[in-house]
Amino acid sequence: MTSQAIGVFDSGIGGLSILKALRAELPHENFVYVADSGHAPYGEREDCFVVARSRAITRHLLTQQHVKVKALVIACNTATAAAIHLLREEHPNLPIIGVEPALKPATLLSRTRRIGVMATRGTLASARFKRLRDSLAGQAEFVLQPCDGLADAIERGIDDKADPGSATEILAACAHHTRAMGPFGLNEGEIDTLVLGCTHYPFASEHLRALLGPHVQFLDTGAPVARQTRLRLPAAEPQTVAPAAPGMGQVKLFTTGQTNTLQAAVQHWLQLDSTVDSLHF
Ligand code: DGL
């Protein structure tokens, strides 16, 4: 029998921050998650590479045996910026939901009107990001920081036993990038709001909190993307509105990298014991 599921993908484990919010919002839904860890990070690659990977993963998700993918969540800012318009053109009947840095909510929250944006080089250089930023011109000052190396450090950091230096590496990358952005705080001229514009970065938020103190607000996109996904589910499908315990739906996991890395990440961040299948493409 064919079951239905929502497809979700990222360059690696970062999209689990979105999957976590999706499961909380849509507890009865089944999910199929692809971590492209064998090809991560995307953020410092050419657009054409990210587009090719996004197409290949979408194809894989749409040709699952016994599973009909009824909606696709691109749980990656970099892939959304490079590929969402093409994927929508190529799959006009599939609801495709992307993620983008939470600049707009940040302008509503910031008091100092100085907002830090941590994202990948690819996201910040994209036409999509430029349009978003231009649409908010004059509302706040955005301090943009391309965080080379941070997603990669987080990607490797989940398996602490294999790489005991990784937590230090994540902290060092966070310290380097936040230092480059200038002073944080609640006073005039300081950054009081930090947009985590890459789905990997919420997994470094403890390090960022330790560096920046308790007052700076962090914004990620998990919850709004999950709400948007609920709204975009095909009308004919029974939508999940029941107040059910999280975790009732099934989660199927694939990776192009090490299966034990994704398994450890899912266990750590989602408290979920699921097997992971390898993908080779
Ligand atoms: N998690 C991805 C994002 O939201 C990309 C990280 C990377 O692969 O560089 O942008």
Side-chain angles (χ1 to χ4, degrees):
M1 209 177 81
T2 301
S3 61
Q4 297 196 334
I6 298 171
V8 183
F9 80 88
D10 177 46
S11 65
I13 60 171
L16 295 177
S17 62
I18 303 288
L19 181 61
K20 189 173 180 166
L22 284 165
R23 291 188 82 229
E25 179 79 21
L26 297 162
H28 292 310
E29 298 290 347
N30 299 320
F31 294 94
V32 184
Y33 183 90
V34 175
D36 198 14
S37 298
H39 301 89
Y42 283 178
E44 291 141 56
R45 311 293 288 256
E46 296 291 322
D47 271 9
C48 57
F49 177 87
V50 178
V51 167
R53 294 307 305 162
S54 301
R55 280 187 169 133
I57 294 166
T58 303
R59 203 175 315 123
H60 168 78
L61 284 166
L62 295 180
T63 52
Q64 290 284 295
Q65 279 192 339
H66 311 303
V67 179
K68 178 182 183 276
V69 166
K70 61 179 177 180
L72 176 69
V73 178
I74 307 177
C76 175
N77 293 264
T78 314
T80 299
I84 196 168
H85 55 295
L86 297 170
L87 294 179
R88 282 181 173 154
E89 267 170 40
E90 291 161 9
H91 305 280
N93 298 321
L94 179 71
I96 301 181
I97 298 95
V99 300
E100 61 184 14
L103 263 55
K104 216 177 194 162
T107 56
L108 301 175
L109 286 172
S110 174
R111 295 276 171 86
T112 63
R113 294 161 60 82
R114 201 168 159 79
I115 295 166
V117 185
M118 294 174 72
T120 67
R121 193 164 284 280
T123 297
L124 295 178
S126 68
R128 196 178 166 87
F129 182 79
K130 184 179 182 314
R131 276 198 301 277
L132 174 64
R133 191 184 170 195
D134 288 351
S135 73
L136 299 166
Q139 298 194 31
E141 194 173 342
F142 296 105
V143 180
L144 309 183
Q145 182 63 23
C147 295
D148 292 357
L150 180 54
D152 196 30
I154 293 168
E155 196 65 25
R156 283 179 287 112
I158 191 69
D159 199 356
D160 279 345
K161 286 189 210 74
D163 182 5
S166 57
T168 324
E169 209 185 310
I170 297 169
L171 180 62
C174 288
H176 169 79
H177 291 301
T178 51
R179 205 178 307 123
M181 298 171 83
F184 284 81
L186 304 182
N187 300 313
E188 206 186 319
E190 294 178 336
I191 297 171
D192 68 346
T193 305
L194 180 63
V195 174
L196 305 181
C198 166
T199 55
H200 280 71
Y201 302 165
F203 297 138
S205 57
E206 277 180 31
H207 294 299
L208 291 166
R209 182 61 68 208
L211 289 162
L212 303 179
H215 301 301
V216 175
Q217 328 183 62
F218 297 168
L219 285 182
D220 67 59
T221 29
V225 167
R227 284 196 295 275
Q228 181 64 12
T229 304
R230 169 197 285 286
L231 297 174
R232 297 285 312 280
L233 286 182
E237 315 293 348
Q239 295 202 9
T240 307
V241 287
M248 289 184 62
Q250 303 292 309
V251 180
K252 211 166 175 306
L253 300 161
F254 293 97
T255 182
T256 58
Q258 300 292 326
T259 52
N260 56 351
T261 303
L262 181 58
Q263 206 153 19
V266 169
Q267 160 55 240
H268 189 76
W269 301 113
L270 275 73
Q271 290 77 48
L272 199 65
D273 282 310
S274 291
T275 54
V276 177
D277 289 321
S278 252
L279 289 178
H280 304 279
F281 61 81

